[in-house]
């Protein structure tokens, strides 16, 4: 993150140096529209970036915006009198009054490698996975599944305040993470703990965050499951839906400017695609040709809202074309399909400098969170069918067994080991002190402003007057 902030600072300082009114920004407001445009062109012309060919003139800067659309190929051989010439290319005229259909004749297909029994589908093409990687993928899925079960129970016991599981979506978490590198920057939504697990975040670190103790990197300021780690290039989870998407594009654009062999990936649920940030991010990424992967977990439900009430389009995958973004639909319960799709998407994003949209079809087997009872809005039989018949962990295990890479003995050892580690981590997390009260007011300003000092004073006075209303384990 600090690298992106430095890059932003460079741009801002360059902006100021050109404007020459650093201490009098009102002068900018007095400029005429034409003069502002002239300044913008000058700014684009002189912007210091790593890739010298990316911006070398205001004219080049403008024309590049439309290059990813490639619309000019459609009508370049058409006479000028038969087409409308626009900056992005020619548009052919037609005498027919014809509207573009709201739907295609057929739905977009879903890429799949393994059938329900873990057998490889004949003629399927996928990225090979080594035995070592496959075993780590499976054991991490088992660990994630076990962690979700135990932490969910801990919340029900009143030991933590909130929790949210990834039940039914383990393959999406682990397989997508396995196809990335540690240099790729992850912008999660909130159901991607498995991505962080794959990258080396320990069970103890998960427990510290959920129990909001002194060892929590967020100092207890966030809700449980709002993980984040600078070390693992995993941007902290935000409760606000879809705000991570345009942020990921900005990060990807920074990686592009610095010619890094890396991309950004942003996860979002089907409900997040109804937010304006989703559409702004796709357009932003397409125009800047940023190396970013948008990974949509279409699990059927945005809390209690079904996808039928979210959109009338053929899911999410078709939305990419409207913005000039290459897209694919994949079976989210097929670990090999997810791995292959993300692996290929990463290669295209970096090598071709373009955004990619992946829609993973899956099902949210668990409740939305511990604050939700999904049996109030969907049948229990439906949940049980997906849990028993479409479980991604079981499917991947069958494939492993077919390759003689896994056994009942290994299964028992993996599940027992995961359970012991998680229970021990919880016990240790509960022993650690809570962060001090003063930490609520730190880490935003270099020197706390007067209004924050006043708020801290009032809070301490309120605790003294009503100690019974505040937790006794928070150091004052």
């Amino acid at each position: 993150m600090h690298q992106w902030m430095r890059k932003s600072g460079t741009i801002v300082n360059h902006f100021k140096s050109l404007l020459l009114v650093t201490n009098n920004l009102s002068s900018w407001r007095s400029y005429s529209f034409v003069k502002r445009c002239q300044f913008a062109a000058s700014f684009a012309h002189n912007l210091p970036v790593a890739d010298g060919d990316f911006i070398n003139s205001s004219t080049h800067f403008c024309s590049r915006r439309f290059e990813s659309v490639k619309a000019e190929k459609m009508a370049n051989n058409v006479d000028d009198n038969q087409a409308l010439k626009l900056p992005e290319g020619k548009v052919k005229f037609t005498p027919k009054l014809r509207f573009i259909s709201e739907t295609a004749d057929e739905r977009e297909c879903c890429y799949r490698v393994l059938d329900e029994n873990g057998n490889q589908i004949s003629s399927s093409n996928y990225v090979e996975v080594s035995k070592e990687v496959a075993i780590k993928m499976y054991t991490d899925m088992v660990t994630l599944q076990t962690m979700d079960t135990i932490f969910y129970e801990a919340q029900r016991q009143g030991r933590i305040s909130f929790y949210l599981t990834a039940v039914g979506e383990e393959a999406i978490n682990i397989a997508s993470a396995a196809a990335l590198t540690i240099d790729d920057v992850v912008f999660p939504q909130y159901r991607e703990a498995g991505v962080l697990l794959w990258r080396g975040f320990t069970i103890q670190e998960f427990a510290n965050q959920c129990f909001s103790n002194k060892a929590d990197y967020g100092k207890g300021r966030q809700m449980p499951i709002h993980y984040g780690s600078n070390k693992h290039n995993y941007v902290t989870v935000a409760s606000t839906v879809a705000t991570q998407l345009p942020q990921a594009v900005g990060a990807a654009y920074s990686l592009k400017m610095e010619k890094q062999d890396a991309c950004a990936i942003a996860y979002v649920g089907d409900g997040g695609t109804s937010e304006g940030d989703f559409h702004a991010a796709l357009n932003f990424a397409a125009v800047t040709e940023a190396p970013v992967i948008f990974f949509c977990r279409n699990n059927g439900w945005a809390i209690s809202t079904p996808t039928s009430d979210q959109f009338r389009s053929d899911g999410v995958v078709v939305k990419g074309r409207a913005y000039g973004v290459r897209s694919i639909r994949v079976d989210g319960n097929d670990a090999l399909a997810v791995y292959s799709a993300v692996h290929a998407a990463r290669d295209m994003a970096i090598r071709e400098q373009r955004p990619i949209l992946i829609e993973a079809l899956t099902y949210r087997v668990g409740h939305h969170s511990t604050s939700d009872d999904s049996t109030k809005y969907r049948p229990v039989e439906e949940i049980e069918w997906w849990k028993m018949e479409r479980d991604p962990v079981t499917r991947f295990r069958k494939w492993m067994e077919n390759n003689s890479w896994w056994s009942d003995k290994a299964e028992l050892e993996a599940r027992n080991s995961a359970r012991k580690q998680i229970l021990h981590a919880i016990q240790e997390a509960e022993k650690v002190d809570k962060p001090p009260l003063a930490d609520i007011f730190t880490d935003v300003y270099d020197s706390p402003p007067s209004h924050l000092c006043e708020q801290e004073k009032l809070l301490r006075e309120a605790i003294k007057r009503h100690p019974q209303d505040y937790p006794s384990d928070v150091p004052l």
Side-chain angles (χ1 to χ4, degrees):
M1 182 66 77
H2 70 281
Q3 292 177 333
W4 311 326
M5 293 299 289
R6 281 207 311 269
K7 180 64 66 178
S8 298
T10 301
I11 294 173
V12 169
N13 289 334
H14 188 69
F15 182 91
K16 289 179 177 179
S17 67
L18 285 173
L19 188 57
L20 298 177
V21 288
T22 305
N23 298 317
N24 185 16
L25 292 179
S26 60
S27 299
W28 170 254
R29 302 187 187 98
S30 67
Y31 282 5
S32 68
F33 176 76
V34 173
K35 193 168 183 179
R36 291 187 192 185
C37 291
Q38 291 172 340
F39 170 79
S42 173
F43 176 68
H45 177 78
N46 294 286
L47 181 61
V49 294
D51 186 352
D53 293 333
F54 181 65
I55 300 175
N56 57 20
S57 72
S58 56
T59 304
H60 193 194
F61 181 76
C62 293
S63 64
R64 281 278 294 182
R65 295 183 302 143
F66 302 104
E67 196 168 291
S68 63
V69 180
K70 306 298 183 186
E72 63 274 10
K73 286 186 178 181
M74 301 170 61
N76 270 347
N77 59 348
V78 178
D79 186 86
D80 286 350
N81 294 325
Q82 298 176 352
L84 185 63
K85 193 173 183 180
L86 297 170
E88 65 268 34
K90 295 179 181 179
V91 178
K92 189 176 179 181
F93 289 125
T94 177
K96 298 178 182 179
L97 178 62
R98 181 178 63 86
F99 290 88
I100 299 174
S101 175
E102 70 280 6
T103 58
D105 293 336
E106 293 184 4
R107 299 197 68 181
E108 289 293 329
C109 295
C110 181
Y111 170 63
R112 180 190 237 192
V113 176
L114 301 177
D115 64 18
E116 303 299 342
N117 295 314
N119 299 313
Q120 183 182 337
I121 298 170
S122 60
S123 73
S124 62
N125 61 315
Y126 68 99
V127 179
E128 294 286 344
V129 177
S130 68
K131 178 180 178 179
E132 181 184 11
V133 171
I135 290 175
K136 176 170 168 50
M137 285 173 64
Y138 183 72
T139 54
D140 276 4
M141 281 194 270
V142 168
T143 300
L144 177 61
Q145 202 174 55
T146 308
M147 185 172 74
D148 277 347
T149 299
I150 294 176
F151 275 105
Y152 191 92
E153 292 171 353
Q155 193 281 334
R156 288 298 188 236
Q157 295 166 1
R159 298 163 81 177
I160 58 177
S161 60
F162 177 82
Y163 197 71
L164 183 152
T165 72
V167 181
E169 301 178 39
E170 294 89 352
I172 285 175
N173 271 250
I174 303 302
S176 66
L180 302 169
T181 73
I182 193 64
D183 294 324
D184 299 324
V185 187
V186 177
F187 287 78
Q189 185 171 17
Y190 42 61
R191 216 177 292 276
E192 291 82 27
V195 178
L196 196 49
L197 177 68
W198 174 270
R199 292 192 163 203
F201 204 70
T202 67
I203 301 298
Q204 191 61 62
E205 288 174 308
F206 281 114
N208 290 338
Q209 198 283 329
C210 287
F211 281 85
S212 301
N213 62 30
K214 192 166 62 175
D216 168 28
Y217 301 131
K219 300 185 179 181
R221 300 173 181 135
Q222 269 282 23
M223 294 170 63
I225 67 91
H226 286 57
Y227 311 111
S229 173
N230 289 337
K231 176 183 176 181
H232 299 97
N233 261 343
Y234 190 95
V235 178
T236 302
V237 173
S239 295
T240 45
V241 177
T243 55
Q244 72 275 13
L245 302 182
Q247 295 167 4
V249 180
Y253 187 57
S254 176
L255 292 171
K256 174 178 180 173
M257 292 173 70
E258 296 175 349
K259 295 185 177 181
Q260 297 295 311
D261 184 24
C263 69
I265 182 168
Y267 293 86
V268 68
D270 48 272
T273 66
S274 293
E275 293 288 338
D277 278 341
F278 172 81
H279 302 275
L282 260 66
N283 191 57
F284 183 21
V287 170
T288 59
E289 296 177 335
V292 57
I293 300 171
F294 299 104
F295 194 110
C296 176
R297 299 175 291 94
N298 186 348
N299 62 22
W301 296 91
I303 308 183
S304 60
T305 304
T307 51
S308 58
D309 289 344
Q310 285 287 345
F311 37 69
R312 287 291 182 268
S313 61
D314 176 15
V316 177
V317 67
V318 296
K319 300 179 189 293
R321 178 174 290 178
Y323 296 104
V325 175
R326 191 174 295 171
S327 312
I328 187 173
R329 173 176 281 163
V330 61
D331 183 350
N333 288 26
D334 180 350
L336 286 186
V338 173
Y339 177 86
S340 299
V342 175
H343 190 280
R346 180 184 185 275
D347 177 67
M348 286 187 289
I350 297 173
R351 180 169 47 83
E352 301 179 26
Q353 294 294 285
R354 67 165 64 248
I356 304 291
L357 171 63
I358 299 175
E359 178 189 22
L361 299 182
T362 183
Y363 188 82
R364 195 196 74 214
V365 172
H367 305 298
H368 174 74
S369 71
T370 50
S371 302
D372 174 48
D373 179 5
S374 63
T375 62
K376 300 295 184 183
Y377 51 82
R378 58 181 184 171
V380 175
E381 295 78 18
E382 177 181 291
I383 300 172
E384 287 300 313
W385 184 84
W386 279 89
K387 183 177 182 180
M388 302 304 296
E389 302 296 328
R390 297 293 312 277
D391 178 41
V393 182
T394 301
R395 193 195 301 192
F396 194 63
R397 177 188 173 181
K398 289 178 179 178
W399 178 77
M400 296 267 289
E401 291 173 340
N402 290 341
N403 286 314
S404 300
W405 291 351
W406 201 250
S407 64
D408 290 342
K409 180 182 178 182
E411 180 75 12
L412 183 63
E413 290 176 351
R415 291 195 176 273
N416 285 341
S417 174
R419 183 172 179 81
K420 287 179 181 178
Q421 289 182 60
I422 296 162
L423 290 174
H424 176 73
I426 287 177
Q427 292 171 354
E428 292 300 309
E430 287 182 310
K431 296 176 184 177
V432 180
D433 292 338
K434 300 296 183 184
L437 184 70
D439 278 356
I440 297 176
F441 304 93
T442 60
D443 296 336
V444 175
Y445 299 95
D446 182 32
S447 299
S450 58
H451 69 278
L452 277 189
C453 295
E454 179 67 16
Q455 288 176 24
E456 181 177 1
K457 176 185 175 183
L458 293 173
L459 176 58
R460 292 183 181 279
E461 291 174 353
I463 294 173
K464 287 182 180 180
R465 290 196 305 270
H466 309 284
Q468 72 281 0
D469 296 328
Y470 293 86
S472 58
D473 57 348
V474 176
L476 300 179

